[in-house]
Structure formats: C-alpha cells, structure tokens
Amino acid sequence: MPRSRRRLVPFATLIAVVALVALVPAAAADDDEPTLPPALAEACRARFFADLEGEALARALRQRVRVMRPDDALRRHVAAFGWEKAQLQRFASNKVFALVRTFEGTSRTLVLRGDRVRIDRAISEPQRRVIERLYGAERFERDDALPPVLAEPVADPAAALDAAAAVAARAGPLAPKEGVLGRARTVIATEDGARLAPALVAVGDDALAAALLIQTLARLDRGFRFRDGRVIPDAKIATARLLYENAVVTARSCREMPWMREVSPAELVGHILPLRGTEEPLQRWRAHFHRALAPEVRELHSLAAVVRFTNTLSAAIYGFEAKTTWEDQGPLTALFTHEGRCEDMVNLTAALLRSVGVPAEHVYTPWWARQDGNHAWCGIFAPGDRMLSIMGCEPSSKPPYFRRYIGGVTAAKIYVRTGHGPRDVTARFGPTADLVVEGLRPGQGVFLNVWNSGGWRSVGQVRVSADGRASFGPVGRREDIVLLVSSGRGDDPAALKPAAPPIVVHADGSIERLEDAETPDESWTRDVVLDGLEPGAETVITAWTAKGWRESARAKADDEGRATVRLARGHLYRRDGGRPLRAVVDGDAVEIVGY
C-alpha cells in the first residue's frame, strides 16, 4: 500500500485502536508482546498504515511493528558502571525503538524520543537480522561458551603471564616484544591487574589470542574521563572476561574474515584490537557485536561493502543529538540511548566494524579553523595506504561513499587516534602548507592555535629547535586561516602567552606574518567604513597586541547603519567581540577580510 501522511485519525480513535492491538490474534507476533506505546502506534499509522483503521489497523500494528529492547543482562552490564546507569535514566527512559515491516515488503527502523520521531530509516533483510540479534535473539551473557577458569582466581599472576607469553611467542609478527611484555608485567603486578590474570589462563594454547591479550594488557593505561578532569583507570574497570572475549573474538575475526588477510599487524593491534575509541567506559561489546554482525558480512565481496553495510546499519539505530553530556557513551549504551554527539556516533560505528576485523578509528580536528566547535568522524584503514573516510551513523546517500570531509573542510590540523597518541593526517584531507615559525626561544614547547568559540584554541604542539624554529608540519589551507603560536595552551586564557605575532596561511599556500604593535604606524592606516550596523549603536574595535586584545577604536553608527573607524594594515582586529578580521589594503582600496 502507498505511504501517506494526509489522512488523519482522531486521537481518541487511535487510543481505541491501540487497545485493540493486544486483543487481535497474530501468528507473526509473540503472544506476550506488550501493547505499543501510543506515540509509536500513531507514528506507524501516519507513516505506513494511513489507509487502515479499526481492527485492520490494530492487526497491522500488532503483526508488523515490533518494539526492540535489549535484554536484561545487557542492561545490567551497562548499568553496573554508575555513570552509565545515570545515562540510561537520562537519555534512554524516553526512547522507543521499533522494527516495522511495511506492506510494500520493506523493513524500517523507528526511534522515538517522547512523541517525536528521531530516526526513520529503511534497512535490508540482513540488517534486520543483525538488529534482531543485537536486541535479544542472542543472549548477551552466553556463559555456557566461557572457560570455567575465567571465574577462578590465579595464585601467581606473574607466572600466568609468563606462560601466556610462551604461547604468544608462536604468533609470528604479532608475538609481543619485550617492551610490551614489560608494560603487561607492570599491570599484572598491581592488585587491579591481578584480577585480570584468569584471562591469561583461559586463552590456553591459542597463540594468536594470547598475543592479542598481552597487547591489550600492556595498553591498560587509559581510563574513563569526566569533564572535571577525573579519570577512572581502565585497570579498575576491566574484567578478566572482557579481556578474554576481546582477544578471542579478535583472533576469530583474523581467521574468518577474508579482508583480514590484507590487514597489517600494526593496524590489527592499533585499530582493531583496542577496547575503546575515545574515553568512553569499557564495555563487553566485541563478542555481542560480532555474534550479531559476522553472519551477515562474512561473505561480502570487499572491505568497502562491509563498511557501507555497517554504517547504514548504525544509522538505523543511532543519530546525532548535541544536548547530551560531555562524557562519551559506551557502544552498548548506544543501543539504549539512540542519540549522542559525533564522538558517540563514531564509537558505535567503529566498535561494530572492529568486531568483525575492520581497522576503524577516530579521525578528528581539535577545533575548526573558521567556525566554532570541533568534530570527529571515522577513518578506515584500507589496503594500499588508503583511508576510507565516513561519518559514523551518517552514511553518504550517493557516491563517493568514502570521501567524507576530504577536500571539504577548513581545519588547521586533523588527526587520527592511535595507541601511541594522535597521528597527523591533515594532508589526507585537502591542500596543505608546511608551517615553520622562526625567531622563537630554543627548547621551549609552543602551541599552534586557531580562533574558535571566542578564544584561541590549541590544535598542535611542538618543541622549538636549537636554532629557534618551530616546525608544525602540514597545515590545512582550503581557505585563508589565522593562527597564533603561544607558549601556553590556548584553551587556558590565563596560561596563553603569545610567542610570535599572528600568522595567516593563505589558500594559495603563502604564509604571512602579521603585526602586533601596541600603536599602529599612521603611515599604514586607513579610514574604513563598516556597514550593516544597528543605527545609533556603538561598535567597538579591539586589536591584537603582544598583551592580548586591546581596544583600538569605537564609533557610533549613523542612521544608515554605517560607522567609520581607523584600521592599520597588517593588524588583527575584532568587532564587538566577533571573529578576527583585518583590513587588506590594495592601493586606495580597502577590503575587510574575516577569519
């Protein structure tokens, strides 16, 4: 039947229909299926069943709409971490997630927040099967598949590590080197680390799983980060079961997934094996996601096909919502909340991809160069040193599917996360210029800053060489951008101390050093008319100096909204606290250029 939004059913009639849903027999539905929430019933009627009413509508709702709820074991696992329990209460209690089978034979997902539809997406039959597994077709716990030794304390954790290391030595290029073993020994020697030792015993003679487990132990140096700076270390959150499942399922992907033959050991350890994407809480997502996703993607013909399938799937479950918390959500939490920030969207998509052996990672710019805010998206490491660039949970609707943000964003710096810190990938996303700043104090650490959100924000850091040069490497130049080098982080106004005058990197690759004199030379000044002001309002111009922003001029707009101020060429200004601008003089002509 055709979809229609025109025909309306009175709300009282709809309530009566909803009440009928529980009474109409339906072979396709579970007899214990609860009555649909009224808002969901109305959304389905309006979008998919507008030509039905009465008992026929009730039957369609009962047979063709299925509310999807993660099982109780998964909820208990997420809520065991106190912060995520609060996230469920704040952001999941008002959400409804449903699968709908239309009369046209297609499947769709609906996510409602209260009575508002937030997601309505078509999915394929294989994607429908994945969702059914994620939301209860497979039990989350599956204790019957776990080695009993996972539940038994280990008397000598150090000996268990040595035994696992002997097994892992047969893992070829993935065999842990002495530095990795040393870090793992440091972790296992602590009280928290000793709790994880049963995982070392449980992997048995699986050399690959043992090697991956030791690599994971060696990287338990991160933690869940709160906005106030507090961190709960991973070693306190992790469990033996989490580490065991992470290693064993990753090893299974290596053996089962055809694209894994082209994944390097560094990509496997750095971008598939990690327990987390950002600073979200550790969760046992890998086994659950693998059981759901692997049966449907194992036979896909290419890595790109797996990425496309998975990203359109994640978009059917999760979408963007800025009004959440600063702290990142776990991938399993996303199955309940269905909305979050860009980091959360990438975390869910990357976790799904990693669960089937796809090297996926966070790509991000700390701060945009010509607008406020920042952003994160998903990079997939493909054969031939290629990177597939996508926005997690927001697949491109038409080709090219894997070039999101390439050549289309204005960022001074773009990084990809790695286990050893951020790696600069700015040059992969558009034209760049190599930035070297001279005349600085040798040996000092300096920061590269862009103007963002009302202040200078740091996007890079280097140490000045013995000859006074700071080499920041490639800097984006899609548009002209203004930068400041400082000896303190731009994110902390009290600590920021300019180390050099502002710099403009032009779109043509040229680099211009501006002035920051306290009083401009009159020979370089011009009277400039500002327009578009509120008639009669006073406008204030501030100029950047070695001591920060200082008032330079103020003027009152005339009846036509214009005011005349005197500006100097080569100086950086702000008008009424806005974004930086400057006066570019070409003969007698003066142009106001904003950044």
Side-chain angles (χ1 to χ4, degrees):
M1 296 184 182
R3 294 173 64 182
S4 172
R5 299 174 186 264
R6 298 178 181 176
R7 189 172 178 184
L8 300 178
V9 174
F11 187 71
T13 302
L14 176 66
I15 294 299
V17 169
V18 172
L20 277 172
V21 170
L23 303 178
V24 176
D30 189 321
D31 290 339
D32 296 327
E33 183 72 18
T35 302
L36 297 182
L40 174 61
E42 164 58 12
C44 291
R45 183 209 63 77
R47 290 166 183 262
F48 313 117
F49 312 128
D51 295 326
L52 301 179
E53 56 186 34
E55 186 173 314
L57 175 58
R59 182 177 293 107
L61 292 172
R62 179 60 181 258
Q63 293 180 345
R64 295 179 173 274
V65 183
R66 181 180 174 190
V67 176
M68 307 304 292
R69 299 181 179 88
D71 68 16
D72 291 341
L74 200 158
R75 180 179 289 274
R76 287 194 299 271
H77 172 70
V78 171
F81 188 69
W83 178 261
E84 293 299 88
K85 181 178 181 180
Q87 295 286 73
L88 294 182
Q89 293 169 346
R90 292 181 63 184
F91 302 115
S93 60
N94 63 344
K95 302 287 175 51
V96 177
F97 179 47
L99 285 176
V100 182
R101 194 177 295 281
T102 70
F103 283 108
E104 290 85 355
T106 60
S107 289
R108 302 189 73 87
T109 61
L110 282 183
V111 173
L112 276 73
R113 185 210 301 160
D115 60 358
R116 292 184 58 198
V117 174
R118 299 290 294 171
I119 295 174
D120 176 2
R121 280 194 174 264
I123 55 173
S124 66
E125 283 306 298
Q127 289 170 329
R128 182 185 179 100
R129 292 193 292 269
V130 174
I131 291 173
E132 288 172 342
R133 295 187 193 103
L134 287 173
Y135 285 84
E138 293 280 350
R139 288 188 302 114
F140 174 68
E141 291 295 349
R142 294 182 65 86
D143 294 323
D144 56 324
L146 297 174
V149 294
L150 267 180
E152 300 173 4
V154 174
D156 190 343
L161 176 59
D162 290 339
V167 174
R170 307 195 306 267
L174 285 167
K177 294 182 171 54
E178 189 53 43
V180 172
L181 287 170
R183 294 195 298 274
R185 290 189 183 101
T186 300
V187 171
I188 211 72
T190 66
E191 182 178 351
D192 290 321
R195 294 185 301 100
L196 308 176
L200 294 165
V201 180
V203 294
D205 291 330
D206 188 333
L208 179 55
L212 296 173
L213 176 57
I214 293 172
Q215 292 279 2
T216 305
L217 271 174
R219 291 167 179 259
L220 287 181
D221 56 354
R222 296 171 64 183
F224 174 70
R225 186 176 300 276
F226 293 92
R227 188 169 191 171
D228 61 10
R230 291 178 295 133
V231 176
I232 302 179
D234 284 346
K236 286 187 175 294
I237 305 172
T239 64
R241 179 172 180 175
L242 183 149
L243 266 61
Y244 171 81
E245 290 181 345
N246 194 68
V248 169
V249 175
T250 302
R252 186 181 307 148
S253 293
C254 290
R255 296 174 178 123
E256 294 180 357
M257 302 304 169
W259 51 85
M260 289 293 293
R261 292 191 292 268
E262 298 185 87
V263 173
S264 70
E267 289 169 346
L268 170 58
V269 173
H271 306 300
I272 295 176
L273 181 64
L275 297 167
R276 61 146 58 87
T278 51
E279 281 83 31
E280 76 275 17
L282 296 185
Q283 294 177 337
R284 290 195 349 257
W285 51 265
R286 191 177 297 268
H288 188 60
F289 286 177
H290 182 90
R291 284 194 298 268
L293 190 57
E296 309 302 335
V297 302
R298 189 177 287 115
E299 303 303 324
L300 292 180
H301 62 280
S302 69
L303 182 70
V306 177
V307 173
R308 178 97 179 126
F309 178 95
T310 305
N311 200 26
T312 54
L313 168 72
S314 63
I317 298 172
Y318 201 84
F320 178 74
E321 174 51 57
K323 296 179 180 178
T324 56
T325 59
W326 181 90
E327 292 80 1
D328 298 335
Q329 297 177 10
L332 293 177
T333 309
L335 299 182
F336 296 85
T337 59
H338 297 286
E339 294 180 303
R341 299 175 297 117
C342 57
E343 291 89 349
D344 304 316
M345 298 164 74
V346 178
N347 277 338
L348 174 60
T349 305
L352 284 164
L353 289 168
R354 287 176 173 181
S355 77
V356 291
V358 175
E361 195 56 86
H362 272 245
V363 180
Y364 67 98
T365 182
W367 300 97
W368 292 122
R370 290 191 58 132
Q371 66 185 63
D372 291 345
N374 54 18
H375 194 41
W377 58 98
C378 193
I380 294 89
F381 294 85
D385 193 35
R386 294 182 301 124
M387 177 181 284
L388 308 183
S389 182
I390 64 172
M391 181 58 221
C393 301
E394 283 185 2
S396 299
S397 60
K398 58 183 179 181
Y401 295 121
F402 309 114
R403 293 183 58 83
R404 192 75 175 266
Y405 306 113
I406 294 177
V409 293
T410 303
K413 284 292 185 181
I414 297 175
Y415 300 97
V416 62
R417 291 180 182 270
T418 75
H420 305 288
R423 177 157 61 91
D424 193 329
V425 291
T426 310
R428 288 183 180 266
F429 288 87
T432 61
D434 285 335
L435 178 62
V436 177
V437 180
E438 300 178 338
L440 304 178
R441 181 166 59 84
Q444 70 173 328
V446 291
F447 296 86
L448 184 67
N449 305 280
V450 297
W451 186 264
N452 189 302
S453 301
W456 295 108
R457 309 291 176 179
S458 295
V459 297
Q461 180 182 9
V462 299
R463 188 161 295 280
V464 179
S465 65
D467 60 355
R469 294 158 57 92
S471 298
F472 290 99
V475 174
R477 58 175 179 87
R478 179 173 175 264
E479 301 177 81
D480 292 2
I481 60 173
V482 64
L483 303 167
L484 180 73
V485 176
S486 67
S487 59
R489 286 193 67 87
D491 311 71
D492 181 1
L496 183 138
K497 296 179 180 178
I503 296 164
V504 174
V505 177
H506 292 280
D508 63 5
S510 61
I511 295 173
E512 179 183 4
R513 184 164 174 159
L514 303 183
E515 304 291 334
D516 60 4
E518 290 286 343
T519 304
D521 185 335
E522 287 297 322
S523 65
W524 292 81
T525 61
R526 296 288 190 279
D527 286 334
V528 177
V529 176
L530 305 177
D531 54 18
L533 306 176
E534 182 180 347
E538 186 176 59
T539 188
V540 178
I541 302 296
T542 53
W544 179 257
T545 74
K547 296 180 181 179
W549 295 104
R550 296 290 185 268
E551 183 175 325
S552 172
R554 63 174 59 219
K556 189 174 183 179
D558 61 21
D559 292 342
E560 296 181 356
R562 295 181 301 182
T564 300
V565 294
R566 197 160 182 80
L567 303 180
R569 182 174 65 180
H571 287 239
L572 196 64
Y573 297 97
R574 296 171 71 199
R575 189 184 80 185
D576 299 327
R579 293 190 62 82
L581 54 86
R582 59 187 289 224
V584 177
V585 180
D586 183 8
D588 293 330
V590 180
E591 180 185 4
I592 300 296
V593 177
Y595 301 99

